[in-house]
């Protein structure tokens, strides 16, 4: 009586690296803070200049709200991943 048993192959267990390679270490919290600042500062600076013509008389809180609605998604989804 012959059974169809699939042959076992030698594969790496999930989450392990091949022999001789080290997993990449994530950047330190200080490096991540610097990267985030490098993304946010130019966006905020450009944003202030961009909304100045139509938001000059606005309350500073309203201006910051509008600016953050634009800057945060840009930074999170476009700029920071590129850095």
């Amino acid at each position: 009586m012959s059974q169809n048993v699939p042959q076992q192959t030698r594969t790496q267990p999930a989450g392990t690296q091949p022999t001789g390679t080290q997993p990449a270490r994530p950047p330190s919290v200080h490096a991540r803070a610097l990267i985030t600042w490098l993304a946010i500062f130019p966006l905020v600076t450009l944003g202030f200049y961009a909304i100045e013509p139509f938001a000059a008389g606005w309350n500073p809180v309203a201006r910051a709200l509008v600016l953050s609605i634009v800057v945060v998604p840009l930074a999170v989804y476009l700029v920071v991943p590129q850095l």
Side-chain angles (χ1 to χ4, degrees), residues 48-60 63:
F48 270 126
Y49 284 112
I51 68 171
E52 181 64 30
F54 63 87
W58 290 11
N59 180 327
R63 194 180 317 180

Side-chain angles (χ1 to χ4, degrees), residues 32-60:
R32 288 189 313 239
L34 178 63
I35 290 167
T36 302
W37 182 83
L38 286 172
I40 296 293
F41 179 74
L43 290 174
V44 169
T45 303
L46 291 173
F48 270 126
Y49 284 112
I51 68 171
E52 181 64 30
F54 63 87
W58 290 11
N59 180 327

Side-chain angles (χ1 to χ4, degrees), residues 7-80:
Q7 286 186 335
Q8 292 181 346
T9 59
R10 293 192 74 195
T11 60
Q12 294 286 354
T16 61
Q17 298 290 324
T19 306
T21 61
Q22 296 287 332
R25 292 180 55 201
S28 72
V29 68
H30 305 298
R32 288 189 313 239
L34 178 63
I35 290 167
T36 302
W37 182 83
L38 286 172
I40 296 293
F41 179 74
L43 290 174
V44 169
T45 303
L46 291 173
F48 270 126
Y49 284 112
I51 68 171
E52 181 64 30
F54 63 87
W58 290 11
N59 180 327
V61 175
R63 194 180 317 180
L65 174 67
V66 169
L67 189 59
S68 68
I69 288 171
V70 174
V71 167
V72 170
L74 279 173
V76 170
Y77 295 114
L78 296 176
V79 179
V80 172

